Amino acid sequence: MTRHFLRDDDLTPSEQREVLELALAFKRDRYHSQPFAGPQAVAVLFDKHSTRTRVSFSVGIAELGGFPLVLDAGTSQMGRGESIADTARVLERQVSAIVWRTHGQERIEEMAEASGVPVVNALTDQFHPCQILADLAAVADGRGGVDALKGLTLAYLGDGANNMAHSYLLGCATAGMHVRIGTPEGYRPDAAVVAKAAEIAAATGGSVAVVRTHDEAATGADVIATDTWISMGDEAEAEARATAFLPFQVSSATLALTAPGAQVLHCLPAYRGKEITGEVLDGPQSIVWDEAEFRLHAQKALLTWLVDQ
């Protein structure tokens, strides 16, 4: 059966660990494995703007020995109404995997259902699972290995209803971490995602909490994460969101509450002085640039793992 990676809980805890260990191996040796030597092609489709995703998948596929076939979906026949399923049937006969950055989760699920090659979620409105693999790998790398993840507390501050919050819940629970989402009322994560994360955490020794204050989330945390307050599609709500999320800004006051040596994550792009201060983003506890680099290593690991199943 073809394996896909559409949301964070598509990997079991042991499978996630395998991928993270492989990501660290790719960090040590960029050419650790070349499963797409030939070169085999991997389709990388974009419905949304991208910098890190486009660069990391393009470079990563090339380093895996393959050819990144990068397509803006809007200029393909999908942009003129060809069905997702028909597109999948065409692609699967010519490429070894499909990577897609799109809108609704149902779109990538439809692609996967019709595809006989692995489909990877490069971001949807609901989840951003490749980013969380990169984040976990970056945290592990800075702490001596994947074993260090279990039992850590990660606090995410900001929009609890966005794709990053949902993926932190599922991905960190899978890693056996304690994840707290600090967000104002009206921006709480999807209840079904919280319930699934709690179910996973019960089996891995982690925990899940959604809290209403900055201090409750940040106190004692080993990792602090945030994201832009205004995701793609939310621009009309910019003023209201800035007001609601300002109390959840990541600043030096945040770090004063955390555990010693806490690491700071931001998936980028960052807006200094809004969701995070420049002092913290560019400071000694930030591993944001390592995190961005780990998009490359983690995605190479994921693709290698998927085509080996």
Side-chain angles (χ1 to χ4, degrees):
M1 185 181 73
T2 303
R3 291 293 299 272
H4 306 292
F5 188 56
L6 310 182
R7 45 186 275 170
D8 307 78
D9 54 343
D10 282 339
L11 297 177
T12 67
S14 62
E15 291 170 344
Q16 184 197 66
R17 180 187 178 88
E18 289 176 26
V19 173
L20 294 175
E21 293 280 14
L22 190 53
L24 296 182
F26 274 116
K27 168 74 183 306
R28 294 189 296 270
D29 176 5
R30 295 268 287 254
Y31 301 97
H32 171 75
S33 176
Q34 291 195 307
F36 297 124
Q40 300 174 48
V42 176
V44 190
L45 310 177
F46 290 93
D47 289 342
K48 292 188 173 188
H49 297 296
S50 170
T51 298
R52 278 150 293 278
T53 298
R54 190 180 296 260
V55 171
S56 57
F57 270 113
S58 297
V59 173
I61 292 162
E63 291 184 355
L64 293 175
F67 172 73
L69 178 64
V70 181
L71 299 170
D72 287 314
T75 61
S76 75
Q77 291 297 338
M78 278 199 295
R80 299 181 67 245
E82 184 169 29
S83 74
I84 292 169
D86 285 355
T87 300
R89 294 182 185 106
V90 171
L91 290 175
E92 69 171 356
R93 294 179 177 227
Q94 300 182 59
V95 304
S96 296
I98 300 168
V99 177
W100 195 11
R101 183 179 177 95
T102 188
H103 299 280
Q105 184 73 11
E106 73 283 352
R107 291 170 60 78
I108 202 159
E109 290 173 356
E110 183 178 349
M111 179 77 80
E113 185 153 350
S115 174
V117 299
V119 173
V120 173
N121 179 354
L123 176 143
T124 62
D125 294 341
Q126 287 74 37
F127 300 101
H128 199 354
C130 287
Q131 181 67 59
I132 268 52
L133 288 178
D135 289 10
L136 293 174
V139 170
D141 186 56
R143 292 177 177 267
V146 178
D147 286 340
L149 293 175
K150 190 173 179 64
L152 292 180
T153 296
L154 180 143
Y156 169 85
L157 299 170
D159 183 0
N162 75 3
N163 50 14
M164 286 300 296
H166 290 153
S167 278
Y168 275 127
L169 283 163
L170 296 175
C172 292
T174 300
M177 297 169 68
H178 305 288
V179 55
R180 303 178 193 150
I181 305 296
T183 193
E185 197 61 44
Y187 297 95
R188 294 172 65 85
D190 183 279
V193 174
V194 174
K196 181 61 177 178
E199 177 187 328
I200 295 169
T204 61
S207 66
V208 168
V210 181
V211 300
R212 297 184 183 182
T213 70
H214 165 281
D215 289 10
E216 191 177 357
T219 298
D222 301 292
V223 184
I224 293 290
T226 191
D227 187 16
T228 177
W229 293 338
I230 304 163
S231 299
M232 286 178 278
D234 294 329
E235 290 82 2
E237 305 169 18
E239 187 174 344
R241 284 174 166 268
T243 300
F245 295 134
L246 184 58
F248 294 85
Q249 182 186 67
V250 175
S251 67
S252 57
T254 308
L255 296 186
L257 297 172
T258 62
Q263 297 158 298
V264 176
L265 297 171
H266 191 309
C267 64
L268 303 174
Y271 299 92
R272 291 168 174 81
K274 294 189 176 180
E275 72 273 6
I276 189 168
T277 64
E279 176 186 24
V280 171
L281 184 71
D282 301 315
Q285 290 176 254
S286 170
I287 59 168
V288 167
W289 315 115
D290 295 330
E291 175 190 6
E293 178 189 334
F294 263 101
R295 287 293 299 277
L296 174 69
H297 309 313
Q299 289 161 185
K300 287 168 66 176
L302 175 68
L303 286 169
T304 300
W305 187 88
L306 284 171
V307 299
D308 195 39
Q309 301 309 299

